[in-house]
Amino acid sequence: RFAVHPSGRLTLVSNPARVIWGHYSQITAQQRLLREAMAQPFDYVHLISGSDWPVRSPESIAEEIASHGARRPIFTDLWGELQTERMDDWWFERRKLRLPGMPRLNENIERAQIRASWIFSRWFRQAGLKRSRYAGQAWMKGSSWFSLPHDAAQRLLADYERLLRSGRLVCTQCADEHVAPSVFIRNFADRLEPARRYIDWSGQGWHPKLLRAEDEAAIRQSGAWFARKCDAGVDDFFLHLPT
């Protein structure tokens, strides 16, 4: 049904990645999407999740991008050299070992995996060993969602493929929040702009607030291009937002 979309411009990736939260498989999925995108002409690529929704029209987004002229910004949110241990230490619990029908044993196995990660990482540091860093500098942290011009997307794809091929991302934690931000700040520092994403973290939890009709005014005033998280099964107000 999706493959025969009437626009003729919808492409499905034939070899999807089995994504696990916090696992480098998230970068594998992004890499396959970018590789598919690079096979076709484009000016900008926007990475969005399944709970994102465009809240500005394509014409309005293109007009704002064009206002930056030849600079061709990268639209992303970066937060600095934070939580670098996610990339520098070893994390063995990302691929959790599970035995069906044995929840208590599974909990103990997961605790053992976490403890093994701490012990091995401590030993690794005490031995004077270090995992490689991007461009020899500390890993950055930032949002997993971004909008990129063609040249930046090309560079990101090349680094994704190099890091995946080398095995550097194995036993890391939330690498998707560190690799792309590091690529952007280390290569394109003079072309960075805030991401045009509306996300409400007022709930102070692990996940952003699920947006509803009462958020419409704030979304419109923000100037965002995309909003998350949206769920038509809860409130479909966002279906009428692009203007």
Side-chain angles (χ1 to χ4, degrees), residues 100-228:
M102 306 183 73
R104 181 163 296 183
L105 179 58
N106 289 334
E107 289 179 9
N108 290 330
I109 290 173
E110 184 172 343
R111 290 192 189 100
Q113 288 179 272
I114 294 172
R115 284 196 295 270
S117 301
W118 292 341
I119 293 169
F120 184 82
S121 295
R122 186 166 59 247
W123 171 86
F124 195 78
R125 290 192 300 270
Q126 290 173 348
L129 301 174
K130 294 182 179 180
R131 304 189 75 176
S132 62
R133 297 182 171 189
Y134 185 82
Q137 302 179 70
W139 294 94
M140 302 293 294
K141 183 184 178 183
S143 173
S144 300
W145 317 110
F146 42 73
S147 299
L148 308 178
H150 193 281
D151 66 320
Q154 190 172 36
R155 178 57 188 263
L156 181 61
L157 175 60
D159 281 322
Y160 273 174
E161 293 186 332
R162 174 179 59 82
L163 290 166
L164 287 168
R165 189 168 53 247
S166 70
R168 174 59 182 87
L169 303 182
V170 174
C171 293
T172 58
Q173 190 177 48
C174 298
D176 60 304
E177 295 182 2
H178 296 276
V179 176
S182 298
V183 173
F184 299 152
I185 194 67
R186 305 307 183 196
N187 296 281
F188 307 101
D190 60 338
R191 293 169 57 186
L192 300 176
E193 292 285 336
R196 302 303 196 262
R197 317 285 169 129
Y198 183 88
I199 306 176
D200 186 341
W201 287 98
S202 60
Q204 303 296 317
W206 289 103
H207 306 287
K209 170 188 171 183
L210 188 62
L211 301 174
R212 291 176 169 80
E214 60 263 27
D215 301 299
E216 180 173 341
I219 293 171
R220 289 186 180 274
Q221 292 169 9
S222 72
W225 299 345
F226 304 94
R228 66 189 306 260

